């Protein structure tokens, strides 16, 4: 009985492994082809991009990228807006989120769970529902077409997010170390700054990177609140398609410019991603 | 004696918490004030908006005119909004369902991998970091009837020869697959974290007892990862309600409204028809739905002891 069992397993194993790797190859292809094709197409000249049959044998050119960054409507102003809006919003969300996350983690009062729920519920609000009141508010405050409208709008999803993840990271810290520091004479803020913050550095970095990715990738807020002075890269990408007809060479180039930095820095925090993206509810590997 | 000192240390925060503006509250205050300003105030304004006719004139003039529950009455009889919700429900079930199934399947595959796991996992995560707008544009590029790679593959294999974004069903499938492409990796990642935590001894014991792969999967693996998978499901559910950019870029809701889910309908009512009060009414309903899901989410997390 047991002999036939092992024999059967021995026979089935190689076949199963082949199935496994074939299936994985399909999954990897499905994942990679779109982005790879975007990057490849961005290096083609216009005629090659529009080839009716997929071309892999072509002479690469940087013309699409050069075209994006030269001329009157250079991509540089969009890059600047994207970096400023996403960057400022990320810094604010991370700093304020760390403070509040620590406060929340160390709070012991009963209403805490309601506060926590309110915080997270603001993160889950559909963008389409936030956009209207913010639009009117920004109009009154004359903030439309300024970087600050975007900074504030991005805080609406990044701040609650940062509070929740940082809360999770701080809640996991062994309190004994902090209590030892306090016995040694450190006040509460010193304990936070000198003990808790250094110990949760990976959490803070993960929070900052995810906030940056969310803000950098936003389109709905950016297209609604920004004007010529504050339009971000995703807006530039969509304008390329509506105004000048479709220049797919430039479009794939701009897509690569928008995607590449976020993919690189996103993968840098892979280890902590699970925890970050589930708002701390699931502890990663 | 020692335990009593410990007890005292544990109690200290409680007493401090009862003071007005304790340290904890001071730490939270800046963030909470900002959150209140950009969520509570807008929330009440949103309600006010639903009771007014608010038109935008040239993007500057905003003149609210009190009309009571007119917007609400209109919404419940508006067949466009009804159709938007139906599309949304189908879209939601299709995307979230596919993402869960594929995500679980792929996670089980990756879990079985012996070498190359890290590289494969890194590759699989790429889509999550690509901006949705770019996903939408890229989707358009790949299925373009004359020079899109995917359109070419489908044509050569005689699976589909028409204009993919031109047909109602094919366009719908295309936008579903764009979201599936972008977010299945998240489910893979979360499920893998669950799989890693499945107790190895229990699996080993089941193996010794003669349980086959599928039996082990059903009786050992699935029960122990169900909590984490549920978290993944809820996270995706909330985000699916926010879905906007990809469809806006790839089909803008067309053809013939086949992909016009409710967020697009709202955006169109607000910024194309410039009827902000009516859009706010649709927004409130979306808001209520998202809060319901959020309550479900935190309720489940709490019951499983994942949050305090």
């Amino acid at each position: 009985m047991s002999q036939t069992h092992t024999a059967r397993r021995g026979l089935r194993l190689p076949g199963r492994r082949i199935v496994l790797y074939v299936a994985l190859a399909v999954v990897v292809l499905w994942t990679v082809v779109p982005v790879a094709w975007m990057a490849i197409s961005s290096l083609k000249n216009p005629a090659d991009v529009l080839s009716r049959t997929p071309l892999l044998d072509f002479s690469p050119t940087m013309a699409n990228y050069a075209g994006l960054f030269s001329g009157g409507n250079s991509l540089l102003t969009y890059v600047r807006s994207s970096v400023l809006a996403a960057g400022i919003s990320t810094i604010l969300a991370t700093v304020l989120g760390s403070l509040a996350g620590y406060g929340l983690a160390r709070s012991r009062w009963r209403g805490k769970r309601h506060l926590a729920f309110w915080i997270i519920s603001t993160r889950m609000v559909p963008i389409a529902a936030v956009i209207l009141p913010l639009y009117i508010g920004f109009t009154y405050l004359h903030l439309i077409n300024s970087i600050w409208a975007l900074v504030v709008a991005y805080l609406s999803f990044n701040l609650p997010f940062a509070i929740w993840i940082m809360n999770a990271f701080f809640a996991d810290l062994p309190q004994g170390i902090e209590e030892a520091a306090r016995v040694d004479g450190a006040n509460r803020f010193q304990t936070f700054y000198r003990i808790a913050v250094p110990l949760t550095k990976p959490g803070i970095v993960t929070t900052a990177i995810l906030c940056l990715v969310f803000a950098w990738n936003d389109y709905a807020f950016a297209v609604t609140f920004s004007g010529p002075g504050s339009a971000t890269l995703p807006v530039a990408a969509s304008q390329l398609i509506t105004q000048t007809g479709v220049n797919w060479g430039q479009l794939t180039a701009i897509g690569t410019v928008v995607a590449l930095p976020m993919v690189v820095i996103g993968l840098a925090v892979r280890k902590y991603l699970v925890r970050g993206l589930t708002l701390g509810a699931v502890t990663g590997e | 004696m020692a335990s009593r000192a410990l007890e005292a240390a544990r109690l200290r925060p409680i007493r401090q918490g009862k003071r007005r503006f304790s340290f904890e509250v001071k730490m939270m205050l800046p963030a909470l004030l900002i959150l209140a300003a950009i969520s509570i105030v807008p929330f009440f304004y949103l309600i006010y908006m639903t009771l007014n006719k608010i038109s935008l004139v040239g993007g500057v003039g905003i003149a609210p005119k009190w009309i009571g529950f007119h917007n609400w009455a209109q919404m419940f009889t508006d067949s466009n909004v009804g159709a938007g919700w139906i599309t949304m429900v189908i879209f939601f079930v299709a995307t979230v369902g596919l993402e869960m199934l594929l995500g679980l399947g792929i996670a089980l595959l990756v879990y079985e991998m012996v070498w190359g796991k890290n590289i494969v996992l890194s590759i699989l995560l790429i889509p999550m970091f690509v901006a949705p707008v770019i996903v939408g544009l890229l989707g358009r590029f790949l299925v373009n009837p004359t020079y899109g790679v995917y359109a070419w593959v489908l044509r050569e294999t005689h699976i589909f020869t028409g204009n993919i974004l031109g047909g109602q069903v094919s366009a719908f499938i295309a936008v579903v697959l764009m979201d599936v492409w972008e977010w299945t990796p998240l489910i893979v990642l979360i499920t893998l974290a669950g799989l890693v935590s499945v107790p190895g001894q229990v699996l080993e014991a089941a193996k010794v007892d003669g349980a086959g792969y599928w039996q082990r999967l059903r009786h050992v693996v699935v029960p122990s990862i169900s909590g984490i998978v549920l978290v993944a499901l809820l996270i995706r559910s909330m985000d699916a309600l926010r879905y906007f950019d990809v469809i806006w870029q790839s089909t803008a809701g067309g053809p013939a409204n086949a992909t016009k889910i409710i967020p697009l309908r709202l955006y169109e009512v607000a910024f194309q028809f410039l009827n902000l009060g009516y859009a706010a009414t649709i927004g409130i309903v979306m808001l209520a739905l998202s809060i319901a899901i959020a309550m479900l989410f935190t309720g489940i997390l709490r019951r499983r002891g994942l949050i305090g």
Side-chain angles (χ1 to χ4, degrees), chain A residues 148-217:
Chain A
W148 294 103
L150 294 181
V151 170
V152 172
Y154 295 167
L155 278 180
S156 77
F157 53 74
N158 273 343
L159 193 51
F161 174 80
I163 297 174
W164 261 59
I165 319 185
M166 288 318 298
N167 171 49
F169 275 99
F170 285 128
D172 274 1
L173 281 188
Q175 293 227 33
I177 310 171
E178 288 182 33
E179 268 148 23
R182 279 170 66 192
V183 170
D184 287 347
N187 67 29
R188 302 277 324 252
F189 191 76
Q190 283 168 331
T191 314
F192 163 75
Y193 195 70
R194 297 247 174 88
I195 312 285
V197 167
L199 285 175
T200 42
K201 224 178 230 161
I204 295 173
V205 173
T206 309
T207 306
I209 286 184
L210 288 175
C211 285
L212 186 69
V213 172
F214 293 142
W216 180 272
N217 286 352

Side-chain angles (χ1 to χ4, degrees), chain B residues 10-306:
Chain B
R10 214 169 53 78
L11 280 173
R12 211 178 314 146
I14 299 182
R15 251 183 277 123
Q16 281 191 343
K18 281 194 175 153
R19 252 192 267 146
R20 269 170 137 232
F21 292 113
S22 65
F23 171 75
E24 288 86 1
V25 174
K26 275 185 217 151
M27 294 285 276
M28 288 189 276
L29 216 52
L32 294 189
L33 286 177
I34 293 179
L35 263 191
I38 54 184
S39 81
I40 294 182
V41 176
F43 172 69
F44 286 108
Y45 193 73
L46 200 63
I47 293 177
Y48 169 76
M49 284 173 78
T50 68
L51 303 172
N52 285 273
K53 182 165 180 57
I54 303 175
S55 313
L56 269 185
V57 190
V60 236
I62 298 162
K65 203 179 110 211
W66 189 267
I67 52 169
F69 286 94
H70 179 79
N71 285 326
W72 287 88
Q74 186 188 346
M75 186 178 64
F76 286 112
T77 52
D78 189 336
S79 61
N80 283 329
V81 170
W85 278 109
I86 291 169
T87 313
M88 179 101 200
V89 169
I90 301 171
F91 178 81
F92 184 89
V93 172
T95 51
V96 178
L98 265 178
E99 280 159 23
M100 294 308 293
L101 281 177
L102 285 174
L104 281 172
I106 296 169
L108 288 170
L109 287 179
V110 174
Y111 184 63
E112 295 286 315
M113 282 182 82
V114 185
W115 52 266
K117 211 176 195 168
N118 281 330
I119 297 171
V120 166
L121 204 51
S122 294
I123 292 174
L124 290 186
L125 297 186
I126 291 173
M128 296 194 325
F129 302 109
V130 178
V133 175
I134 304 302
V135 175
L137 292 171
L138 198 51
R140 261 174 90 163
F141 181 51
L142 295 171
V143 303
N144 185 291
T146 29
Y147 40 79
V149 191
Y150 283 176
W152 176 79
V153 170
L154 291 174
R155 201 165 54 231
E156 293 296 304
T157 52
H158 301 286
I159 293 172
F160 190 88
T161 48
N163 177 2
I164 293 167
L165 294 182
Q168 294 194 30
V169 175
S170 53
F172 191 84
I173 293 172
V175 289
V176 165
L177 289 182
M178 288 179 208
D179 193 60
V180 168
W181 178 80
E182 178 148 43
W183 290 111
T184 301
L186 178 67
I187 312 293
V188 174
L189 195 63
I190 298 174
T191 310
L192 263 178
L195 287 173
V196 170
S197 66
V198 173
Q201 286 150 321
V202 181
L203 269 181
E204 216 36 60
K207 220 176 196 171
V208 170
D209 287 346
Y213 179 78
W214 295 109
Q215 279 178 306
R216 271 177 285 151
L217 190 65
R218 202 177 133 209
H219 297 292
V220 182
V221 176
V222 169
S224 44
I225 63 169
S226 63
I228 282 178
V229 171
L230 204 62
V231 172
L233 172 70
L234 287 165
I235 295 269
R236 266 320 291 150
S237 302
M238 284 164 335
D239 278 353
L241 268 183
R242 297 163 63 96
Y243 196 62
F244 173 78
D245 303 1
V246 173
I247 299 192
W248 188 252
Q249 279 317 315
S250 53
T251 64
N257 294 343
T259 57
K260 195 163 280 174
I261 59 172
I262 217 69
L264 271 94
R265 180 68 69 183
L266 181 146
Y267 197 84
E268 173 190 80
V269 168
F271 296 103
Q272 282 174 3
F273 307 151
L274 303 175
N275 191 349
L276 295 185
Y278 188 42
T281 319
I282 303 171
I284 282 278
V285 178
M286 289 179 67
L287 190 61
L289 201 67
S290 70
I291 288 178
I293 297 180
M295 286 174 86
L296 198 68
F297 178 60
T298 47
I300 286 169
L301 290 186
R302 201 161 281 137
R303 225 172 306 132
R304 297 197 170 255
L306 291 165

